[in-house]
Amino acid sequence: MSTTLHPHALLHADEKAPEAQDFMPLLGTDHVEFYVGNAKQAAHFYRTAFGMSLVAYSGPETGQHDRASYVVQQGKVRFVLTTALRASHAIAAQTQRHGDGVHAIALLVNDARQAWAAATERGAVCAQEPTTLRDEQGEVTLASIQAYGDTVHTFVERRGYRGVFLPGYRAIAQDTIARPVGLLHIDHMVGNVGWHQMDEWVAFYERVMGFRLYQHFDDNDISTEYSALMSKVMANGNGYVKFPINEPAEGRRKSQVEEFLDFYDGPGVQHIALATHDILHTVSSLQRQGVEFLRVPHSYYTELEQRIGHIDEPIRDLEELGILVDRDDEGYMLQIFTRPVEDRPTLFFEIIQRKGSRSFGKGNFRALFEAIEREQQARGNL
Ligand code: FE2
């Protein structure tokens, strides 16, 4: 472990004009690490249902005696599924409390020490000091800060690293059970925070990470007869990383964000949106492989063309799969949401195809929330 400040960090800070604002240039999402109760079985689910390939493993056989981690990948989407091997481990306490969920949103940077120093100077709480890991393939530097709840952001600097993931991981030559479905990259990752905490976390992303407000929705946009939420979408300087932040809003019944906070026992990642170029193919493959999606009523599709105008995809096909569509002045987008991927009503996934639109499907909120509420009702949580 080395804690010397890289000289580039100093140059960088001096050279940046204040108006450039991007004191934390992010190259994109490096990976997402989940803490789960049983990583071997979780990896099987992401491989056979979501079609990801197992590419690397770390555990007792590789010298990591307190945990096991499986790295699964499809396109640029890379998930790490980690489990504790003993009850006394801190990871076991987290999965006991939250169930399976996202622990780390790892962001690729050119200089992890500089990013960590910039964030902590601006008030971020350190989760892990900069640490350089080495093996015969090269070295990777990692550093983490606390985000909402027990979630962290890890800065990953892997310039020149030639290994499959990180030092200490063993490459898996070929995954014979993965069934890829055309997932390309992460479009956005949504956090649910507690009552009246949204603006605090919006301010955190602005101040600590140099993000800006990209879009926002209030309870007039996102409310049904029963429940409401407020949402602000934060984006980094180059727009590669987008984090919508939700908080519950007052409604007649318990909102989906409250249900999440209740079962996750605090703030956490609500959903991860995965991009595809061919949503009809991706979603029909996922459904065949057992991924369960939310459904909206037939009336959604009878009114669709009137609401959004002509689109390339046959509406009949969209209805068969349950895919939603929304349009703004730049184009349109297609999206669909899975049911929660754990028994707790917490983390779920979105599959999204953008055709010009950079929005988040505001026109679908009502139909979608009503679908979620039907499920909450079935769980007895509305
Ligand atoms: Fe989303």
Side-chain angles (χ1 to χ4, degrees):
M1 175 170 163
S2 148
T3 50
T4 330
L5 198 66
H6 194 286
H8 183 68
L10 301 170
L11 279 175
H12 199 83
D14 292 337
E15 282 169 0
K16 275 281 176 191
E19 63 271 21
Q21 270 202 346
D22 204 355
F23 53 83
M24 191 175 295
L26 303 175
L27 308 176
T29 306
D30 186 87
H31 66 271
V32 180
E33 183 172 25
F34 300 69
Y35 282 170
V36 299
N38 184 336
K40 179 179 278 200
Q41 290 191 7
H44 202 284
F45 172 75
Y46 284 102
R47 293 158 76 193
T48 56
F50 280 82
M52 305 183 78
S53 295
L54 180 64
V55 297
Y57 168 80
S58 150
E61 301 85 346
T62 68
Q64 183 72 262
H65 292 283
D66 63 346
R67 73 186 83 173
S69 295
Y70 295 74
V71 184
V72 297
Q73 192 161 351
Q74 185 170 176
K76 291 181 184 165
V77 183
R78 178 158 56 189
F79 294 160
V80 182
L81 303 155
T82 295
T83 199
L85 298 180
R86 291 178 195 278
S88 57
H89 198 283
I91 293 172
Q94 287 216 18
T95 52
Q96 162 91 1
R97 178 173 174 195
H98 302 303
D100 290 5
V102 171
H103 166 66
I105 299 171
L107 303 165
L108 185 63
V109 295
N110 275 326
D111 189 332
R113 286 170 208 286
Q114 184 272 333
W116 178 87
T120 50
E121 275 162 21
R122 287 168 171 80
V125 174
C126 171
Q128 188 204 332
E129 290 198 8
T131 306
T132 299
L133 307 173
R134 293 184 182 80
D135 66 10
E136 57 285 355
Q137 311 291 328
E139 59 180 53
V140 177
T141 300
L142 304 172
S144 301
I145 57 167
Q146 289 292 337
Y148 44 83
D150 284 327
T151 317
V152 305
H153 289 308
T154 303
F155 302 113
V156 182
E157 172 190 334
R158 47 173 75 255
R159 279 184 292 186
Y161 183 67
R162 299 176 304 279
V164 62
F165 179 54
L166 294 178
Y169 280 77
R170 181 170 79 194
I172 306 292
Q174 199 192 353
D175 186 339
T176 53
I177 69 163
R179 305 170 196 153
V181 297
L183 298 175
L184 301 172
H185 59 84
I186 293 175
D187 185 273
H188 59 276
M189 298 189 65
V190 181
N192 279 344
V193 299
W195 287 96
H196 316 298
Q197 287 180 7
M198 177 178 68
D199 285 329
E200 191 184 309
W201 286 101
V202 163
F204 169 89
Y205 282 105
E206 283 174 345
R207 185 184 74 244
V208 168
M209 300 191 60
F211 281 43
R212 67 187 192 284
L213 182 64
Y214 189 74
Q215 287 176 28
H216 67 96
F217 309 99
D218 62 24
D219 48 358
N220 293 320
D221 298 319
I222 320 183
S223 69
T224 64
E225 187 189 346
Y226 292 131
S227 64
L229 67 79
M230 311 266 272
S231 189
K232 287 185 176 171
V233 182
M234 303 306 291
N236 80 314
N238 60 18
Y240 289 175
V241 180
K242 292 189 198 74
F243 294 148
I245 307 291
N246 297 334
E247 71 176 13
E250 216 60 69
R252 276 175 51 198
R253 304 267 188 97
K254 183 186 251 186
S255 76
Q256 51 161 313
V257 178
E258 287 176 87
E259 189 194 35
F260 177 100
L261 295 169
D262 187 4
F263 282 85
Y264 197 73
D265 197 24
V269 173
Q270 178 211 40
H271 76 264
I272 302 174
L274 304 172
T276 171
H277 282 324
D278 184 353
I279 198 165
L280 291 171
H281 164 73
T282 298
V283 172
S284 59
S285 304
L286 288 168
Q287 287 186 0
R288 217 169 28 247
Q289 291 171 191
V291 176
E292 298 175 324
F293 291 91
L294 291 179
R295 304 300 300 216
V296 295
H298 173 65
S299 57
Y300 176 90
Y301 295 95
T302 57
E303 296 153 11
L304 187 59
E305 195 150 14
Q306 200 181 356
R307 183 165 68 81
I308 53 151
H310 178 74
I311 52 169
D312 303 334
E313 297 75 12
I315 288 181
R316 196 182 51 246
D317 294 357
L318 297 176
E319 178 169 4
E320 201 177 304
L321 296 168
I323 294 166
L324 310 176
V325 193
D326 199 20
R327 185 184 282 284
D328 58 27
D329 33 1
E330 295 182 300
Y332 69 98
M333 54 93 91
L334 306 107
Q335 63 182 168
I336 188 170
F337 296 84
T338 72
R339 300 176 73 193
V341 294
E342 322 71 16
D343 292 298
R344 297 193 198 194
T346 53
L347 176 75
F348 58 88
F349 288 89
E350 172 181 352
I351 308 299
I352 184 167
Q353 182 178 5
R354 295 190 178 279
K355 296 186 119 174
S357 167
R358 286 185 286 177
S359 74
F360 293 81
K362 179 173 152 179
N364 291 323
F365 288 167
R366 172 169 285 271
L368 190 63
F369 285 25
E370 286 170 352
I372 292 173
E373 284 165 10
R374 282 192 294 277
E375 304 237 323
Q376 274 183 265
Q377 182 90 57
R379 292 190 283 263
N381 294 333
L382 187 62

